[in-house]
Amino acid sequence: MGYELSKENIAKGSNLICVETAGHEGVELVADWLVRDMEAVFGQKPQIYVVTAAGADTVSGKLPIICASADRGELAAKLGESGVIDLARISGKRECYIFKATDKALYIIGSDKRGTIYGMLHLSELIGVSPLSDWMDIRPVRKDSVTITEEDDMISKEPSVKYRGFFINDEWPAFGNWCNKRFGGFNAKCYAHVFELLLRLKGNYMWPAMWSSIFPDDGPGLASAELADKLGVVMGMSHHEPCLRQGEEYKYLRGPQSIYGDAWDFRKNKEGITRFWEDGLKRGGHLENVITVGMRGEFDSTVLGKEATLGDNIELIRDVLKTQNELIRKYVNEDLTRVPRMIALYKEVEAFYYGDDTYKGLQGEPELDGVTLMLCDDNFGNLRTVPSVEERDHNGGFGMYYHMDYHGWPISHEWVNSNYLPKIWEQMTAAYEFGIRELWIVNVGDIFTNEYPLSFFLDLAYDYEKWGASNLDAPAEYTKGFVRTQFQGLSDQTRTTVEELLAGYTKIASVRRPEAMNVDVYDPVWYGETDDLLDKCDEYMTAAEKIYKETGDYPFYELVYYPLMANLNIQKMWLYTGLNRYLADLSAADAAADYAGRVDDCLKRDSEIIDELHTIHDGMWYGMGMSKHIGFKYWCEEECAYPVLSTVRRPDKPRILTCIPGTDRHTEGNFWTKSNLVLDTFLRPDAKEGTIRLYSTGNGSMEYVIEGDTDAFDISSLKGEIRCGEYEDIEIRLRTGAGAKAASEADESGCRTYVLHINSPKDHDQDKSVKLEAEIRVPVNTKDYSNLPEGTFVWCGIDKEGQSSPHYTVLTDEKCKPMGYISMEAAHFADSHRVGEAGFTEINGYGRTLSGMKVFPVTDSYAPGNDAPYLDYSVYMEDDGEYDVDVYVTPANPAYKNNLLRYGIGVTGSDVQYVNTVASDYAVGDDKDEWKQGVLDNIRICSSIHGFKAGLNTLRIYACDPGLVLQKIVIYKKNERPAKSYLGPKETYRRQIQ
Amino acid sequence: MGYELSKENIAKGSNLICVETAGHEGVELVADWLVRDMEAVFGQKPQIYVVTAAGADTVSGKLPIICASADRGELAAKLGESGVIDLARISGKRECYIFKATDKALYIIGSDKRGTIYGMLHLSELIGVSPLSDWMDIRPVRKDSVTITEEDDMISKEPSVKYRGFFINDEWPAFGNWCNKRFGGFNAKCYAHVFELLLRLKGNYMWPAMWSSIFPDDGPGLASAELADKLGVVMGMSHHEPCLRQGEEYKYLRGPQSIYGDAWDFRKNKEGITRFWEDGLKRGGHLENVITVGMRGEFDSTVLGKEATLGDNIELIRDVLKTQNELIRKYVNEDLTRVPRMIALYKEVEAFYYGDDTYKGLQGEPELDGVTLMLCDDNFGNLRTVPSVEERDHNGGFGMYYHMDYHGWPISHEWVNSNYLPKIWEQMTAAYEFGIRELWIVNVGDIFTNEYPLSFFLDLAYDYEKWGASNLDAPAEYTKGFVRTQFQGLSDQTRTTVEELLAGYTKIASVRRPEAMNVDVYDPVWYGETDDLLDKCDEYMTAAEKIYKETGDYPFYELVYYPLMANLNIQKMWLYTGLNRYLADLSAADAAADYAGRVDDCLKRDSEIIDELHTIHDGMWYGMGMSKHIGFKYWCEEECAYPVLSTVRRPDKPRILTCIPGTDRHTEGNFWTKSNLVLDTFLRPDAKEGTIRLYSTGNGSMEYVIEGDTDAFDISSLKGEIRCGEYEDIEIRLRTGAGAKAASEADESGCRTYVLHINSPKDHDQDKSVKLEAEIRVPVNTKDYSNLPEGTFVWCGIDKEGQSSPHYTVLTDEKCKPMGYISMEAAHFADSHRVGEAGFTEINGYGRTLSGMKVFPVTDSYAPGNDAPYLDYSVYMEDDGEYDVDVYVTPANPAYKNNLLRYGIGVTGSDVQYVNTVASDYAVGDDKDEWKQGVLDNIRICSSIHGFKAGLNTLRIYACDPGLVLQKIVIYKKNERPAKSYLGPKETYRRQIQ
């Protein structure tokens, strides 16, 4: 019935792990991990049996787990010959394994060392061991037995991407302190855990930490490097560390008397630098590496000064490559084609590769034959230039250096995870589709808290067929599996909540990263975006708290609770700061003070969370919370500042401030400044309830009565008293049947505008200076939209509510006309036009609001004109006229050097306009403001002007250049932009047939 | 030897006051005041003797004070006939009196009622009684005797302006509460004091309070109006209250059943309105009035709606005038020429007067024959349009409605006095020179605290020859006399201080009125303007406190101490708020908290001062401090708010913030953000000392050492420790003899730039994250300017200090180049060119900084071109190039409808540019932003671009249109505007020969 692994078998000396004497040493090392895993599951420790191929037969009665590799030893061949396995299925392939169970034995036969190891770790997963088990001390669910059946038999695939790994970076203060305390340094004891994590996540490649350590020397000595080699971990070094030499090394070794000279300058100190590289290759060239070539300046800076021309730089790099290739031939392998090499086209090096009109770049340079060209994202998860069709056949292939952590301009992100799977999926599937398949490396900072996106990244690289572009639901599906793997002990229902928590907090953090949060990001009032986000944060935090209380589970704490709490607490803190400042400016002294108190609580909570992280689980994460993350003023933490809080004294007299929530409209309604407010809720035909908020902003209590057209509404309170420092929300519902009456009384615009007066009671106060006299207009939309097509967005705004009160100018800002806009989620199109297999497709959960619309296949371009996929939006207008159409798109970078990332747009019947979402001189990089705004806000808003006619219109948006993702569309009368906010106006009324 | 008034004489029944039975009743009433005054001075109460002309001889042995009027009774004529006085000298004149002393009698013979009264009050002044004695309860210095000699004999002049008075306005809450508590209403008991004040100040005309009272009905009844008439106070009503009817009256009398109808609408309710006016004239037309004619809307608003054309409005006013003149003929005097009438060309009425291309205005309208055309200022003390030469001969003459108080847009000023004599002098002398001599009325709000400028205003109107345009030193001279009159008991030295206090606080308040102060007015750091003003405030407040403590004198409290303290305390509060916010934003948590505490202290002090005012002097001023004055958000107090204060937590680590005082330049000097600072003090050849400020902005103490070119300087401290929350100023002086050494080492620009490093001590901290590493460049100007002409302004700025540190961009803002500008006080010209008697003349103390330069005679215009007065400024530049020249001028309004208020400007040898200081569509009024900015800031800054050559240049500024007053000139390289501040950069180095 299959192969049985069980406590009982192990106790009897069965289920022993059989490895071959002549096999890979790494396989024997990994057998130890398997022992650990099986003991954890079954409570019994199995034995390892190291045998010759011949000797393997002697354990046949012991239900052996036979681990062998086709490329070393004789056991695999012997099994093949005996017909137990079909070795041909894997021979010559990369990193594959046969996994085959019989009643008597389990065969794990790799095509090579990593193949066998992945097969062995596959078994671990099958018995319920998480790939994060070692790294995070995740204990599997105890079982008595697991049966492996024929259904589990498999021949694994070749990994989709050849080199798949991560980069520990920006390791101070978090990883560095953690590592020093736990392991005494960046040594092999530490890397043993890192390598195990990498391999269990099906990676095979890594760059070590580099800011204060020397990987090939701190093992001690080569210990770390040799361990990597044994385990099949291919080492690289960071993009600016050529020839197996770390940047820190030169800092230590240089000097006036040094044999390496005293200048990181290939022009002035060629001999010293060459010798430095030579000794690096001599030391580590015999191990499995992807050797970085090329050269950059020290500390991640430019290689030549500002005076140097592009030509100087290109020439220099060409010389460098020549020298490095010669050294590699001499010390690593005469056949350069057999030495994996990589050059990073990162920051300024990208320009050296492409050259310009004057200087031919390094593209096509013979010294780059066989060298993998490593491209990169913009440090914020957006790919930069991708290979054009012609470039894609470069014989060294392409790599991608991606960032889940970044220490640099405009604002670093290196504290807790703020990476969101749908974005990673969208970008890395594009990378793959554009032919970037040789090497994927991701900067994971301190690793800790990035385990979730890192797992996804490496699984995507390993099995693109499963998680790639063809699986639109990959992020959610992956999250489901991830939660199931890590939290096997939780109920299905709880696991579903945990999925929501992971997706939820990462979405919030990706909309604005915690380090980039500040008081000016979200508007404190407009469109309720602050309130909504606070609600969301509270919902997630409460749920996380509940699960953690119930389970007391460290992995839950580490994988979900901590990054969620840490992250959302900071989001809340800044939202509270915004409310504090807003309310203080309104003299709502008590409310402001309340929010100031909440900010203080958040600051306290921030310390508590980090202290807690540093002590739980026997302090195993000490150090990991140390990165600064509050109030960045520069790109780095320097001069970072806690929130500036506002306090104000209450005005001397009683006052009531009448506010319309979701807007900044407010009035104290006194005699002279009397300004009309408009409660525009009921302009939406589907509105249920509107709210008026009354704040006490003065000293002393104050009474109010609501008068006027109160008959039309059910009003939660018609009179009352607001006590000093408090507020009351007056809920207003259209009275049943009031709609018909309103319709009969509507004006020519189809509205019936009721007026409510919020007044002081007549006998309230003889001193006219504390009189309350606020007037609120409540227009009710009585128009009949029942003949409009399903999905039509309807203009509900009105123009003429800002009327003057008898003598005095009304303060209603022209730009804040009630509902003076249409806002549509991009996914709420009325019709979608495909061209062949190409068409806009929704990426669920993507972006800042509902989702994203992207054209698949992602590599295609469409000539402006007839043959492009498009989306149609149905829009019903009240007035003919010119309108601005703001299109919210993902802050993608143009795919190619042409700097084009366009969409076509037009109202059907009019000409199509082509809008480039970036400026013609757009560039990624420090001091590039357009790019900066995009990555900070995680959006780019593009605008064009179109004529709409009164009645039904179709707004059509065409695909054009690859990479565009539509998120939201906002339409408003020309130059009458709705009030500014971070997320823009919420979606407006859309006709839906019930 | 003269006429002796003495205690002894009075005790003997001498010095009796003799008035004529057949004389003016008012003279008899004023005799009572004289009794009161003499009793206060001599401690004995003299008798009044009411006699017939014949009976006057009977008192010849009693050293009588004989008071009579030429226009009533027989006594004056009898004295004339007897040769005692020369009646011809005054007969037929307005308001004159003969004042003549003999050994036996004192003769005070008026040409008319007011002449006699002024003469009697002149005697009061001679014996040392202040004109404010009744109003403010100022007790004279006690004397035993005063001798009036022949030298005191005089024949008084006819007053310069015919009607001179004030308007009690915006009387709630201050005057209203005061009046109700003290007198039980706006009744004759109250007005008795107001009239006495007016007459003692040599006024003769007033408008009563109008916002909640009816002067002709609240006396009770006509009591107030009849009292005015008796005393010779000519009553008017406010500019929008025609036919002796107050606005409040219509509010009370109107109604559906009212005989006056229910609409303030001359079109729809002509009959009712006409009747309303008719009854007003019937009631009060027999008293001495200047009757307002014309019509405005209710409550100081427009008369017709927005739809009405200018033509509609003009036609309406024409009808109104016709009706009113008919009524006046009927009920007051058939000979209209004998009825003083006034129409205000105020706000929109001005447009009705002038008309436009389509509609002929009211100018030249026969119904306006003999009607005084009342012009006005812009509510902020700047005259609006003045009569052109052709208009000046209008047969009713012109009046001026001036404001020392205003309740309206953009921000009201009605709390404590914020009027500055030099400005009043400059504007009202212009009014007079332009022919506005029939009527001057000033809105004094609650009167209280405006006594000082009001006295000046009325004295200027009474005796223009003495205080007018020919007396450039009038404001200072007047202040000296005012202080002498009010504070006879103080020493000369103290009185000099009091003069400084009066001039000082009113200047500060006029630079920015307290109601218009807020946190954004003065820059907290640039050019030290906040520090300077704080020092000034402290100096004045300390001096006032000292004098008040020494004297305990109520009049000092009321006239000086209270308005000064109240005013400057508010100024300080906002300056502290600015520092609080600035420092909180820098995370200088403790310094910010310190300033927040000071703001709280100021708020407390504000309440204390007002409470004190309301209780001192037996509570006689209760109510007068009630006007709101903090944090106006609209033009009125509604929704006004206390300062919003900022608090911030200290950053977790020790930090030192290095600042350059007088700039916003600062750095924490850490590794990544390292930015160079420049201490530019020594670019001024006359600089003595520079300062670097080190703030502790973090948690914990931190040490520093100063290294680098320390040999060049005497530095107050080369190392130290800044304790948590504290700061240290490092004072830096060029070492003696260092100048020569610097010169020998100077670069081509003539500078020797030293570098100081403010570092952590080497052994301070192993954690590089708290390293201090600030670099300060200290350029020393070594150039020799000894050959430059006296008074030359020298460009000391340098361009190239913003160099990069090795790897990282320096933050020095291009626009803040060290000393990258020349700033000159307008009075510091090198040469002045006069044309005939016309030329620029300095008005001492005028404006925001040093003084103002204005052309006298003030009415002349100069055609752009050759024949205009000009000022030459000598300017030495380092570089050829284009420069912006900002000219700071008074926010005057153009004199005429042409909207021209130009100056000519040019570097000699280049073309002259004519700069209009106002836009071509400039207008005064609500919502007019250009005007608003001018009156709030009390400055207008105009700019033009000029080529300067390296070396000496002459910048010439020409007079052009009347009204221009130059205050300051700032020159900088084109588009390199110096950092923004309220007052602009301080004056820069000027070559002065010692």
Side-chain angles (χ1 to χ4, degrees), chain B residues 462-487:
Chain B
Y462 180 82
D463 192 353
Y464 189 82
E465 291 70 25
K466 180 171 183 188
W467 302 115
S470 63
N471 182 356
L472 278 164
D473 211 27
E477 199 181 298
Y478 188 84
T479 301
K480 197 177 186 68
F482 181 81
V483 170
R484 199 172 47 226
T485 302
Q486 315 309 338
F487 306 113

Side-chain angles (χ1 to χ4, degrees), chain B residues 126-138:
Chain B
L126 276 184
I127 63 173
V129 174
S130 158
L132 303 176
S133 57
D134 173 69
W135 174 250
M136 307 198 89
D137 190 23
I138 299 183

Side-chain angles (χ1 to χ4, degrees), chain A residues 585 587 603 633 637-642 644-648 650 652-653 655 668 670 672-673 811, chain B residues 585 587 603 633-634 637-642 644-649 652-653 655 668 670 672-673:
Chain A
D585 286 344
S587 285
L603 280 169
K633 291 195 169 177
E637 69 181 67
E638 285 171 19
E639 302 189 24
C640 68
Y642 288 121
V644 173
L645 295 177
S646 301
T647 54
V648 67
R650 274 188 222 122
D652 300 327
K653 299 173 181 173
R655 284 187 187 174
E668 283 179 356
N670 282 335
W672 289 104
T673 54
L811 298 170
Chain B
D585 285 343
S587 285
L603 280 169
K633 291 194 170 179
Y634 300 99
E637 70 180 68
E638 285 172 20
E639 303 190 24
C640 68
Y642 288 122
V644 174
L645 295 177
S646 301
T647 54
V648 67
R649 279 194 185 203
D652 301 326
K653 299 172 181 174
R655 283 186 187 174
E668 283 180 355
N670 281 335
W672 290 103
T673 54

Side-chain angles (χ1 to χ4, degrees), chain A residues 459-491:
Chain A
D459 271 318
L460 179 62
Y462 180 82
D463 193 353
Y464 188 81
E465 290 71 25
K466 181 171 181 186
W467 302 115
S470 63
N471 183 355
L472 278 163
D473 210 28
E477 198 181 302
Y478 188 85
T479 301
K480 195 175 187 67
F482 181 81
V483 170
R484 198 171 48 226
T485 302
Q486 315 308 339
F487 305 113
Q488 301 188 15
L490 297 185
S491 70

Side-chain angles (χ1 to χ4, degrees), chain B residues 738-888:
Chain B
K741 186 161 181 297
S744 72
E745 297 166 352
D747 64 17
E748 60 199 11
S749 78
C751 280
R752 167 69 167 94
T753 298
Y754 295 102
V755 180
L756 296 176
H757 297 279
I758 304 194
N759 292 337
S760 310
K762 292 242 176 322
D763 56 353
H764 174 65
D765 184 12
Q766 295 310 310
D767 179 354
K768 66 181 175 179
S769 68
V770 291
K771 200 165 173 183
L772 170 65
E773 213 176 20
E775 179 177 314
I776 302 181
R777 285 160 189 264
V778 191
V780 174
N781 188 345
T782 69
K783 287 185 285 274
D784 177 10
Y785 301 117
S786 60
N787 288 327
L788 291 180
E790 168 86 14
T792 299
F793 284 89
V794 175
W795 183 277
C796 297
I798 48 174
D799 275 340
K800 291 182 180 170
E801 281 307 296
Q803 287 168 18
S804 294
S805 66
H807 299 299
Y808 312 104
T809 312
V810 163
L811 298 171
T812 300
D813 183 343
E814 278 298 306
K815 289 180 183 166
C816 299
K817 287 180 181 169
M819 298 258 180
Y821 55 88
I822 280 174
S823 175
M824 315 187 281
E825 288 292 344
H828 290 160
F829 55 85
D831 196 13
S832 170
H833 172 75
R834 302 184 71 86
V835 174
E837 65 167 351
F840 278 99
T841 307
E842 183 174 8
I843 309 175
N844 289 322
Y846 183 91
R848 304 201 312 176
T849 50
L850 180 66
S851 61
M853 297 300 300
K854 187 176 187 181
V855 171
F856 290 82
V858 300
T859 50
D860 289 354
S861 299
Y862 302 91
N866 302 323
D867 204 23
Y870 60 75
L871 294 172
D872 276 346
Y873 297 88
S874 178
V875 174
Y876 182 83
M877 290 297 189
E878 286 294 328
D879 299 315
D880 289 341
E882 298 224 287
Y883 290 76
D884 278 299
V885 179
D886 286 354
V887 178
Y888 291 52

Side-chain angles (χ1 to χ4, degrees), chain B residues 435-502:
Chain B
I436 302 167
R437 304 179 179 184
E438 187 72 12
L439 183 160
W440 285 14
I441 184 117
V442 59
N443 182 337
V444 282
D446 306 308
I447 306 177
F448 184 67
T449 75
N450 280 324
E451 293 88 352
Y452 164 52
L454 172 63
S455 301
F456 179 67
F457 181 90
L458 291 175
D459 271 317
L460 179 62
Y462 180 82
D463 192 353
Y464 189 82
E465 291 70 25
K466 180 171 183 188
W467 302 115
S470 63
N471 182 356
L472 278 164
D473 211 27
E477 199 181 298
Y478 188 84
T479 301
K480 197 177 186 68
F482 181 81
V483 170
R484 199 172 47 226
T485 302
Q486 315 309 338
F487 306 113
Q488 301 187 14
L490 298 185
S491 70
D492 282 354
Q493 194 188 336
T494 305
R495 285 210 294 255
T496 304
T497 306
V498 176
E499 290 164 33
E500 284 166 16
L501 296 183
L502 279 174

Side-chain angles (χ1 to χ4, degrees), chain A residues 879-898:
Chain A
D879 299 316
D880 289 340
E882 298 225 286
Y883 290 77
D884 277 300
V885 179
D886 286 354
V887 177
Y888 291 52
V889 301
T890 260
N893 302 306
Y896 307 122
K897 298 303 304 170
N898 61 8

